[in-house]
Amino acid sequence: QPQVVESGGGLVQPGGSLRLSCVVSGWEREYFPMAWFRQAPGKEREGIACITGSEGSIYYEVDVRERFTISKGNGTTVYLQMDSLRPEDTALYYCATTERWTCSRSAMVFNYWGQGTQVTVSS
Protein backbone atom coordinates (compact mmCIF):
# COMPACT_ATOMS: atom_id res chain seq x y z
CA GLN A 1 0.00 0.00 0.00
CA PRO A 2 1.16 3.55 -0.61
CA GLN A 3 2.76 5.91 1.85
CA VAL A 4 1.89 9.61 1.82
CA VAL A 5 4.15 12.33 3.20
CA GLU A 6 3.42 16.07 3.05
CA SER A 7 5.61 18.96 4.09
CA GLY A 8 6.08 22.71 3.71
CA GLY A 9 3.73 24.14 6.32
CA GLY A 10 4.68 26.88 8.73
CA LEU A 11 3.88 30.29 10.15
CA VAL A 12 3.35 33.10 7.67
CA GLN A 13 1.96 36.64 7.80
CA PRO A 14 -1.22 37.57 5.92
CA GLY A 15 -0.45 38.11 2.25
CA GLY A 16 2.47 35.73 2.36
CA SER A 17 3.07 32.52 0.44
CA LEU A 18 3.84 28.88 1.14
CA ARG A 19 4.40 25.86 -1.07
CA LEU A 20 3.28 22.50 0.25
CA SER A 21 4.78 19.30 -1.10
CA CYS A 22 3.41 15.77 -1.13
CA VAL A 23 5.18 12.56 -2.07
CA VAL A 24 3.37 9.26 -2.61
CA SER A 25 5.48 6.11 -2.64
CA GLY A 26 4.92 2.36 -2.72
CA TRP A 27 2.52 2.21 -5.67
CA GLU A 28 3.15 0.73 -9.09
CA ARG A 29 0.36 2.79 -10.63
CA GLU A 30 1.43 5.45 -13.07
CA TYR A 31 -1.74 7.52 -12.78
CA PHE A 32 -3.77 8.14 -9.66
CA PRO A 33 -5.52 11.11 -8.03
CA MET A 34 -3.61 13.27 -5.58
CA ALA A 35 -5.58 15.73 -3.50
CA TRP A 36 -5.17 18.42 -0.88
CA PHE A 37 -7.56 18.83 2.03
CA ARG A 38 -7.54 21.09 5.07
CA GLN A 39 -9.17 20.97 8.45
CA ALA A 40 -9.45 23.71 11.03
CA PRO A 41 -10.38 22.99 14.66
CA GLY A 42 -14.11 22.39 15.01
CA LYS A 43 -14.66 22.18 11.26
CA GLU A 44 -15.07 19.33 8.82
CA ARG A 45 -12.28 18.36 6.48
CA GLU A 46 -12.51 20.49 3.35
CA GLY A 47 -11.41 19.51 -0.14
CA ILE A 48 -9.08 22.10 -1.68
CA ALA A 49 -7.85 20.70 -4.97
CA CYS A 50 -7.12 17.48 -6.83
CA ILE A 51 -5.06 16.48 -9.84
CA THR A 52 -4.88 13.48 -12.19
CA GLY A 53 -3.29 12.82 -15.54
CA SER A 54 -6.65 12.53 -17.28
CA GLU A 55 -8.61 15.25 -15.49
CA GLY A 56 -5.88 17.81 -14.96
CA SER A 57 -6.27 20.23 -12.08
CA ILE A 58 -9.57 20.57 -10.24
CA TYR A 59 -10.35 23.27 -7.69
CA TYR A 60 -13.32 22.92 -5.36
CA GLU A 61 -13.65 26.49 -4.12
CA VAL A 62 -13.68 29.68 -6.16
CA ASP A 63 -11.69 31.75 -3.67
CA VAL A 64 -9.03 29.06 -3.42
CA ARG A 65 -8.87 28.80 -7.22
CA GLU A 66 -7.82 32.45 -7.38
CA ARG A 67 -4.98 32.08 -4.88
CA PHE A 68 -3.82 28.44 -4.84
CA THR A 69 -2.27 26.32 -7.59
CA ILE A 70 -1.95 22.55 -7.62
CA SER A 71 0.70 21.02 -9.85
CA LYS A 72 2.70 17.85 -10.40
CA GLY A 73 6.43 17.65 -10.00
CA ASN A 74 8.81 14.84 -10.81
CA GLY A 75 7.61 11.32 -10.22
CA THR A 76 4.74 11.08 -7.75
CA THR A 77 5.20 14.50 -6.21
CA VAL A 78 2.45 17.10 -6.09
CA TYR A 79 2.61 20.70 -4.92
CA LEU A 80 0.15 23.23 -3.59
CA GLN A 81 1.37 26.78 -4.13
CA MET A 82 -0.51 29.09 -1.78
CA ASP A 83 -0.36 32.84 -2.37
CA SER A 84 -2.11 35.80 -0.72
CA LEU A 85 -2.68 33.77 2.41
CA ARG A 86 -5.33 34.88 4.87
CA PRO A 87 -5.89 34.08 8.56
CA GLU A 88 -8.89 31.97 7.57
CA ASP A 89 -6.53 29.69 5.64
CA THR A 90 -5.10 28.53 8.96
CA ALA A 91 -5.60 24.77 9.18
CA LEU A 92 -3.93 21.39 9.15
CA TYR A 93 -3.34 20.55 5.50
CA TYR A 94 -3.47 16.94 4.33
CA CYS A 95 -2.42 15.17 1.17
CA ALA A 96 -4.37 12.09 0.14
CA THR A 97 -4.69 9.52 -2.62
CA THR A 98 -7.23 6.87 -3.61
CA GLU A 99 -7.47 3.60 -5.53
CA ARG A 100 -10.13 5.21 -7.70
CA TRP A 101 -9.16 6.63 -11.06
CA THR A 102 -10.89 10.00 -10.70
CA CYS A 103 -10.78 12.95 -8.35
CA SER A 104 -13.37 13.69 -5.69
CA ARG A 105 -14.00 16.52 -3.25
CA SER A 106 -15.17 14.01 -0.64
CA ALA A 107 -12.68 12.92 2.00
CA MET A 108 -14.54 9.61 2.30
CA VAL A 109 -13.31 8.58 -1.14
CA PHE A 110 -9.64 8.74 -0.22
CA ASN A 111 -8.00 5.70 1.32
CA TYR A 112 -4.50 6.90 2.10
CA TRP A 113 -3.54 10.03 4.01
CA GLY A 114 -0.47 11.82 5.21
CA GLN A 115 -0.09 13.01 8.79
CA GLY A 116 -0.76 16.62 7.87
CA THR A 117 1.29 19.80 7.85
CA GLN A 118 0.23 22.85 9.84
CA VAL A 119 -0.31 26.18 8.11
CA THR A 120 -0.77 29.18 10.37
CA VAL A 121 -1.47 32.64 8.96
CA SER A 122 -1.18 35.34 11.59
CA SER A 123 0.13 38.85 12.12
Side-chain angles (χ1 to χ4, degrees):
Q1 61 181 39
Q3 293 78 50
V4 182
V5 179
E6 63 270 86
S7 61
L11 175 64
V12 64
Q13 294 186 351
S17 298
L18 286 173
R19 189 180 73 164
L20 306 184
S21 299
C22 176
V23 178
V24 177
S25 61
W27 273 21
E28 295 293 334
R29 297 176 63 187
E30 182 178 0
Y31 302 104
F32 51 86
M34 296 181 69
W36 288 99
F37 291 79
R38 67 184 181 187
Q39 187 168 22
K43 296 184 178 180
E44 294 185 358
R45 194 163 297 186
E46 175 187 26
I48 301 300
C50 185
I51 188 168
T52 66
S54 60
E55 296 177 289
S57 301
I58 301 174
Y59 300 90
Y60 297 112
E61 208 275 331
V62 175
D63 184 61
V64 170
R65 176 66 178 85
E66 295 174 347
R67 299 182 294 116
F68 295 2
T69 303
I70 188 170
S71 63
K72 277 193 169 184
N74 296 327
T76 56
T77 301
V78 67
Y79 302 103
L80 185 68
Q81 178 67 42
M82 304 186 296
D83 298 319
S84 301
L85 284 163
R86 305 167 182 172
E88 50 264 43
D89 294 317
T90 296
L92 189 63
Y93 283 70
Y94 295 93
C95 181
T97 190
T98 174
E99 295 176 351
R100 291 175 52 173
W101 292 97
T102 57
C103 282
S104 176
R105 68 187 303 163
S106 174
M108 296 178 61
V109 169
F110 291 84
N111 308 103
Y112 307 102
W113 296 81
Q115 294 299 307
T117 184
Q118 179 67 40
V119 173
T120 302
V121 185
S122 177
S123 298

